[in-house]
Each structure stands twice: as C-alpha cells, then as structure tokens.
Amino acid sequence: MADFARVLAAVDQTQGWRTLDDYLATSANVATDAMEGDQFAMAIAALVDQAGTWQGTAAQLLEVLPAPLVRPPNWPKDATRASGRVKRLAPLLRSIGITVDDTQRSRDRHRHRLLTLSRAPDEDESASAPEQASLWPEVAPPGHGRTPSDQH
C-alpha cells in the first residue's frame, strides 16, 4: 500500500490532482467502519480512551473489558484467543491512533506476556519527521547541465 501511495503522490505531482488525499480519506473511512463493526475492538478503544495506557495480560484484559450482554460470536472466549485477537486488531487499532505492544513479560515467576495498549502520541509532523526526499531524482533537461566538452 505504501508503494501505491507513492504512485498516487507522483501522479498528483505531475497532473496536479489530489488522488492521494482521496485515497487516505477512504482508508480512514474503511478503518472507522471496521471498528464500528467489531465490538471487541470498540471495547479496547474505549478502554484506552478512558485509561490512556493500559498494561496487563490477555486474561486481565478480558476481565477489564465490559462484556456485551449478548456475546457476539467473535468475542474471545479465553486469554489465548484474546491475545491472538488483539494481535490481529493491531493494524486497525494503529490506524485510529492506538499502539499495541506485546513484547514485555511480567516479572513474576510465570513471565506472562503483557499487552500494553496506549494512545499514540500526537506528533507535529513538520517538527519531528525527517524531510523526505523527492519521489523522483532531479533531472536536468536535455542539453542543460553539461559543459561544451561533454557534449561531443
């Protein structure tokens, strides 16, 4: 998808169009629609909105999340399924600004895998992001940039 975005940016640059903006807006709409259709993902988003950052095991996550009155078929039934579900939801959660980190372990003797769910920091892209190079190298028009001795 990043390659496709680069192509759209190049087309926009050469044609003066705004296809990349349309593509990004459509992607955001798809992510929002997917979130609204998944009660488990919505419960995670609500937890992060309320707590800011949450850390615990998958079993603790299931205890903390308010289970719906009628459990949907895709609601995880145990900690193993909840952990796998959070991993599969990570790209969708990232698209709405929630980071998922499952690289930490508990400090007890069982060393359970910990999930850390947090709101991604809002970054001022102009201040923190490095300036990106142009998509295409700068090329001088034919006959320009050469010395007379090079043109033989």
Side-chain angles (χ1 to χ4, degrees):
M1 291 179 57
D3 288 339
F4 183 66
R6 291 183 72 179
V7 169
L8 289 178
V11 168
D12 290 351
Q13 187 177 12
T14 60
Q15 299 297 319
W17 296 346
R18 306 213 29 98
T19 56
L20 180 59
D21 294 337
D22 293 340
Y23 172 72
L24 294 175
T26 301
S27 295
N29 288 339
V30 167
T32 301
D33 290 346
M35 282 293 293
E36 289 174 357
D38 192 324
Q39 290 183 342
F40 189 66
M42 290 294 291
I44 291 172
L47 173 67
V48 172
D49 286 342
Q50 178 185 7
T53 297
W54 181 88
Q55 185 176 49
T57 64
Q60 292 168 333
L61 179 64
L62 281 177
E63 291 173 10
V64 153
L65 292 180
L69 295 174
V70 177
R71 184 177 11 198
N74 63 355
W75 191 274
K77 294 174 180 58
D78 57 32
T80 302
R81 290 182 177 121
S83 177
R85 189 74 194 286
V86 170
K87 288 178 189 176
R88 285 188 301 278
L89 286 171
L92 180 62
L93 293 169
R94 239 187 335 270
S95 74
I96 63 163
I98 296 174
T99 60
V100 176
D101 178 17
D102 67 345
T103 60
Q104 304 296 315
R105 296 285 184 160
S106 65
R107 295 178 190 248
D108 63 3
R109 65 184 179 96
H110 299 290
R111 302 211 12 97
H112 294 287
R113 183 178 304 273
L114 296 175
L115 297 171
T116 304
L117 307 170
S118 61
R119 180 66 58 189
D122 291 333
E123 295 181 8
D124 180 11
E125 289 185 30
S126 63
S128 63
E131 187 173 319
Q132 289 191 343
S134 173
L135 294 174
W136 309 108
E138 294 295 323
V139 177
H144 290 70
R146 293 183 173 172
T147 62
S149 62
D150 292 340
Q151 293 180 354
H152 288 78

